[in-house]
Amino acid sequence: MKNIISSVSVLGLGVGLTVGFTSCSSNADKMPANIDKTTFDTTVNPTKDFYEYVNGNWMKNNPIPPTEAAWGSFYIVRDTVTFRLRKMLTDVGSQKATDGSIEQKIGDYYATAMDSVGMNKAGITPLMDEFKKIDAISDNKSLWDEVAHLKKMGANVMYDFDVSPDDKISNKEVCEFGQGGMSLPNKNYYLLDNPRMVMIRAAFMDYGKEMLMMMNENEETAKKNIQTIMNIETEMAKGSKTPEEQRDVHAEYNKMPIAQFASMTPNIDWNICFDVYGLKGVDTALVREPAFMSKLDTLVKSVPMDDWKIYLKFHLLTANANRLGDSITDINFNFWGRTFLGQQKMKPRWKRVSEATSGALGELVGQLYVKQYFSPDAKQKVYDMVHNIIAAYSERINAATWMDDATKKKAIDKLNKVTLKLCYPDKWKDYSSLQIKSDAWVLNAMRVNEFEFDYDMKKYGKPVDRTEWGMSPQTVNAYYEPTKNEIVFPAAIMQLPFFDPNRDMAMNYGGMGAVIGHELTHGFDDQGSQYDADGNMVKWWTAKDSANYFARLQSLINQFNGYELDSMHVNGHLTLGENTADLGGLTIAYQALQRYMKEHPEPIKDGYTPEQRFFIAFAQVWRTELRPAFAKQQMENNPHSPGMFRANGPLSDMPSFYTAFNVKQGDGMYRDSTVRVSIW
């Protein structure tokens, strides 16, 4: 539930290094380790638009595949992993496995998800027992009993709930409550009247009507019922926060005795919910958005029970839409894929199922993945890079003229205490209590959801497990977690274009090095900087240094507010954390490369100096093509800026880039020294 975990997300990281790759076959293992000049647009001067210079021909020659909303090397690497998963899952499924073994659980999950014939025949039948339970709701007690049950099964109803580390007591697990239960991404989709939001709401109403008709409602009833759902969710939206408002970690921290929370929400029976969740002795609530919880409480009293039943059944159906046969899957894709993101075609079943199996059975699949596809050589070299980058970061902190010595000392202490999690966990998650059967995908998915929910609930009252990972090894991603002060790099990201143990280190530092620096910098962005070396949200900056720091961040907000794509401006406040991490990551990685080259000098190669290759690798990593609908969705919701700004933005702030490519006043990449942003 936490919004404070900053990560290099699938929507934000993408982007690349190869020519001629499509989603129809996997060529990523053939991606060139060195510079491929055919991807460049040499008609563009690098001092005018460096991103276009490095990536222009690649983008001209590699249209977005019809099954994708965006394309670039991040997506290519993800596709490579999906091809590997397919082979691995198919092999596992062909084996005769012992009941309860890793192979049995993975094999049966994958097989039921691939069984399109069985799903089409069953339709919504696997949900009928749950629909009957919803229909049987008769009073407030039975309402909350069913709401809690549905949340365990993975339905997004009423509110958000989790057990996770307390921001101010980072070694303690606490119950967190916050806004949730809405179908559309955030409140703006319900309340703004610009053309896109009006279009999305109209399309959602059509989508909802079609989904409800799949439950054997006639068209008139379905239209009436989706309007009821829209009315409920619009009222929820009025009490919720925008994504920008949720970035304020202090405003998101509202801890209170459970008795106070219960008195604030008298119409919600938390005792019933806790009983269903298996929680005992809950004495404290961490409420992320109190106004939303108060709004929900008033709705519980004012909305008729029959309307809540409609709402609950709709959310149960939509939560499982892709697991109930082709007709419902098509309806779901037409709205969320085609209209919302601009995809032209649905991915083939094997891709959807491979990704879904990996997502559902994370570390179970991960154990098999690292055995087959992980190189120990890569781990050691990345480990060495991390330590060199941390050393470079310490140098940058010590050299910062805007920080007092007291703040520098605490910053370096935090940096030195960052926990490094590389490739895969030392201790695998215990899935022994998870039961996977050969009956139906939707039922297996519910079993997984209940297992994961119960797994989190069992953390309550126990010390925080700092060995636990929040991503599986086969995930092409990375993240920083402020309450644990840790950076996590799964095995799958340690490949081209980010990293290759056989590639020259200038390009490795420009790719993987900048990503490592990015995640380390999240510990010092507008959110992460509020947490100390032990992961507690406490004030550790001097007042003067804090003021200096946020003045620099405001300059970065202003810079990115000025970037425009398809008549939409980047939201500099929403993207502040990621923009800070991009600039910091690039700056630190560059200094780390200079440290490395003192003992390991690198020559001119492919016609470029090591410094030039470093910046080229950085720009290639952020190569991204976006469909217009996807670009709009990203600008509205995503804390990552579009790829071209993630490349050119930080580069235009770095004096070392100006030196490497002889950027002068009047050039497109030039920013006056008075407005260039320098943080670390």
Side-chain angles (χ1 to χ4, degrees):
M1 183 176 81
K2 272 184 183 168
N3 296 300
I4 55 173
I5 296 179
S6 299
S7 68
V8 183
S9 76
V10 170
L11 296 180
L13 181 59
V15 236
L17 191 73
T18 187
V19 179
F21 183 76
T22 74
S23 64
C24 299
S25 62
S26 179
N27 290 325
D29 288 338
K30 300 176 183 177
M31 293 173 74
N34 298 312
I35 291 173
D36 180 358
K37 198 69 178 287
T38 64
T39 68
F40 287 35
D41 185 348
T42 54
T43 67
V44 176
N45 192 311
T47 66
K48 178 182 178 182
D49 184 336
F50 192 71
Y51 176 84
E52 188 70 22
Y53 167 72
V54 170
N55 300 311
N57 273 359
W58 186 92
M59 292 189 291
K60 290 174 185 175
N61 296 322
N62 290 268
I64 302 172
T67 57
E68 302 291 334
W71 198 239
S73 23
F74 185 89
Y75 299 87
I76 292 170
V77 175
R78 181 202 63 192
D79 227 42
T80 301
V81 172
T82 304
F83 275 90
R84 292 174 176 175
L85 288 170
R86 180 196 196 185
K87 181 181 184 304
M88 190 178 75
L89 294 170
T90 302
D91 290 346
V92 169
S94 66
Q95 302 171 11
K96 184 172 178 58
T98 304
D99 191 46
S101 65
I102 292 176
E103 290 78 8
Q104 177 267 314
K105 291 175 181 180
I106 293 174
D108 282 352
Y109 193 98
Y110 183 73
T112 57
M114 287 296 291
D115 181 16
S116 58
V117 174
M119 268 180 273
N120 286 332
K121 183 177 180 180
I124 65 168
T125 301
L127 298 183
M128 292 308 295
D129 286 346
E130 296 301 327
F131 288 150
K132 289 176 183 177
K133 291 178 184 177
I134 295 171
D135 284 331
I137 294 172
S138 59
D139 54 21
N140 200 53
K141 179 181 181 300
S142 56
L143 171 66
W144 291 105
D145 185 82
E146 184 60 20
V147 166
H149 173 66
L150 290 172
K151 291 195 76 63
K152 289 186 66 171
M153 295 171 64
N156 174 27
V157 292
M158 298 292 206
Y159 58 90
D160 203 0
F161 175 73
D162 196 9
V163 170
S164 57
D166 187 326
D167 299 76
K168 292 189 176 181
I169 314 173
S170 63
N171 62 352
K172 179 182 179 180
E173 299 280 3
V174 66
C175 290
E176 294 187 6
F177 301 83
Q179 64 191 49
M182 294 171 282
S183 302
L184 298 174
N186 61 59
K187 70 181 298 178
N188 293 334
Y189 285 82
Y190 294 91
L191 303 179
L192 294 185
D193 286 328
N194 65 52
R196 174 163 165 82
M197 297 307 184
V198 171
M199 181 276 290
I200 290 291
R201 285 197 293 271
F204 174 76
M205 295 294 285
D206 290 338
Y207 155 77
K209 180 193 72 175
E210 290 185 66
M211 291 294 282
L212 291 170
M213 289 175 69
M214 297 303 295
M215 296 169 59
N216 299 319
E217 293 184 3
N218 62 45
E219 185 172 4
E220 183 178 348
T221 301
K223 286 178 68 174
K224 175 177 172 292
N225 286 344
I226 192 58
Q227 186 62 61
T228 295
I229 293 163
M230 176 59 91
N231 293 343
I232 291 172
E233 294 188 10
T234 300
E235 289 303 309
M236 287 180 168
K238 291 177 182 177
S240 67
K241 291 183 179 180
T242 64
E244 297 96 313
E245 291 169 332
Q246 288 181 290
R247 288 193 57 78
D248 185 339
V249 295
H250 297 285
E252 288 282 288
Y253 189 88
N254 304 283
K255 193 174 179 180
M256 62 187 71
I258 199 69
Q260 180 183 345
F261 184 44
S263 67
M264 188 178 87
T265 53
N267 296 299
I268 302 176
D269 196 329
W270 295 118
N271 288 329
I272 293 292
C273 294
F274 290 149
D275 284 345
V276 174
Y277 298 157
L279 292 172
K280 306 290 185 184
V282 177
D283 58 0
T284 306
L286 182 53
V287 185
R288 293 294 178 189
E289 294 89 17
F292 175 85
M293 300 308 299
S294 295
K295 180 67 172 179
L296 177 63
D297 185 74
T298 62
L299 287 173
V300 171
K301 185 175 182 179
S302 63
V303 172
M305 193 67 74
D306 285 344
D307 289 356
W308 282 121
K309 293 179 184 180
I310 294 166
Y311 166 88
L312 294 177
K313 285 195 282 189
F314 177 75
H315 276 271
L316 176 62
L317 179 67
T318 55
N320 294 284
N322 291 325
R323 310 179 191 112
L324 298 169
D326 293 340
S327 296
I328 294 179
T329 300
D330 287 344
I331 294 169
N332 200 57
F333 171 77
N334 282 335
F335 177 65
W336 291 109
R338 196 182 304 276
T339 300
F340 202 79
L341 298 179
Q343 289 171 261
Q344 296 174 358
K345 289 174 58 179
M346 195 185 304
K347 291 181 182 180
R349 173 171 292 278
W350 70 263
K351 272 195 176 184
R352 289 180 279 129
V353 169
S354 296
E355 292 168 356
T357 304
S358 176
L361 302 179
E363 288 187 22
L364 272 185
V365 175
Q367 292 176 57
L368 301 184
Y369 181 87
V370 296
K371 286 181 182 178
Q372 293 189 36
Y373 296 110
F374 176 66
S375 164
D377 290 344
K379 181 175 183 177
Q380 185 57 51
K381 286 200 174 184
V382 171
Y383 189 84
D384 292 342
M385 286 179 66
V386 171
H387 282 279
N388 188 35
I389 289 168
I390 289 174
Y393 215 144
S394 293
E395 293 174 354
R396 298 292 301 187
I397 291 171
N398 276 320
T401 58
W402 54 273
M403 295 178 76
D404 290 339
D405 288 343
T407 306
K408 288 180 180 179
K409 183 178 179 181
K410 290 181 179 180
I412 290 173
D413 180 49
K414 178 174 183 176
L415 185 65
N416 289 335
K417 285 187 176 181
V418 171
T419 299
L420 311 179
K421 293 182 177 179
L422 305 180
C423 306
Y424 56 88
D426 294 325
K427 179 181 70 176
W428 293 105
K429 189 173 184 175
D430 182 4
Y431 287 85
S432 58
S433 64
L434 172 63
Q435 189 176 36
I436 298 295
K437 300 182 180 180
S438 58
D439 46 7
W441 182 16
V442 63
L443 298 178
N444 278 332
M446 289 178 180
R447 292 178 188 118
V448 170
N449 287 332
E450 290 194 67
F451 165 80
E452 294 291 356
F453 193 95
D454 290 341
Y455 186 92
D456 285 341
M457 295 305 104
K458 289 173 184 175
K459 297 176 184 177
Y460 184 76
K462 297 178 181 177
V464 171
D465 182 359
R466 292 181 178 265
T467 68
E468 189 176 46
W469 280 49
M471 279 181 184
S472 65
Q474 66 275 20
T475 302
V476 184
N477 215 322
Y479 70 90
Y480 171 80
E481 164 57 81
T483 58
K484 294 181 179 179
N485 191 26
E486 66 181 15
I487 56 173
V488 182
F489 295 93
I493 199 172
M494 296 180 189
Q495 56 183 304
L496 289 169
F498 307 104
F499 182 81
D500 184 337
N502 299 314
R503 181 168 69 166
D504 69 276
M505 293 305 290
M507 296 196 74
N508 279 337
Y509 272 96
M512 193 69 189
V515 172
I516 293 166
H518 173 109
E519 297 306 337
L520 285 170
T521 302
H522 272 313
F524 303 93
D525 67 14
D526 61 310
Q527 294 179 317
S529 63
Q530 308 304 304
Y531 296 77
D532 67 9
D534 297 317
N536 295 308
M537 191 169 72
V538 297
K539 182 179 174 59
W540 57 271
W541 296 67
T542 65
K544 174 187 171 185
D545 288 346
S546 182
N548 285 337
Y549 178 63
F550 279 92
R552 289 166 183 263
L553 292 187
Q554 185 59 53
S555 297
L556 198 60
I557 292 173
N558 296 341
Q559 177 182 346
F560 277 81
N561 278 341
Y563 294 139
E564 183 179 350
L565 177 66
D566 294 338
S567 301
M568 290 184 69
H569 281 270
V570 173
N571 184 330
H573 183 70
L574 175 62
T575 59
L576 176 60
E578 299 301 329
N579 298 334
T580 304
D582 285 341
L583 177 58
L586 182 66
T587 303
I588 304 307
Y590 183 84
Q591 177 133 341
L593 173 63
Q594 299 305 308
R595 285 173 51 85
Y596 173 84
M597 289 200 302
K598 286 180 181 178
E599 295 185 11
H600 310 280
E602 295 200 342
I604 292 176
K605 190 175 181 181
D606 299 322
Y608 295 99
T609 67
E611 289 79 8
Q612 289 174 326
R613 295 200 305 277
F614 170 89
F615 292 119
I616 287 169
F618 179 76
Q620 288 173 325
V621 159
W622 298 113
R623 177 184 296 162
T624 318
E625 296 181 88
L626 308 172
R627 295 195 188 280
F630 181 87
K632 289 182 172 63
Q633 188 276 147
Q634 179 174 6
M635 304 273 270
E636 292 157 357
N637 301 301
N638 202 290
H640 303 83
S641 302
M644 66 286 289
F645 304 131
R646 298 188 73 174
N648 282 351
L651 292 173
S652 68
D653 285 320
M654 281 191 67
S656 51
F657 171 74
Y658 285 55
T659 301
F661 284 93
N662 196 28
V663 179
K664 294 184 172 60
Q665 186 172 1
D667 290 335
M669 293 297 298
Y670 182 89
R671 280 168 55 80
D672 191 83
S673 59
T674 59
V675 295
R676 285 180 215 158
V677 183
S678 174
I679 300 174
W680 301 112

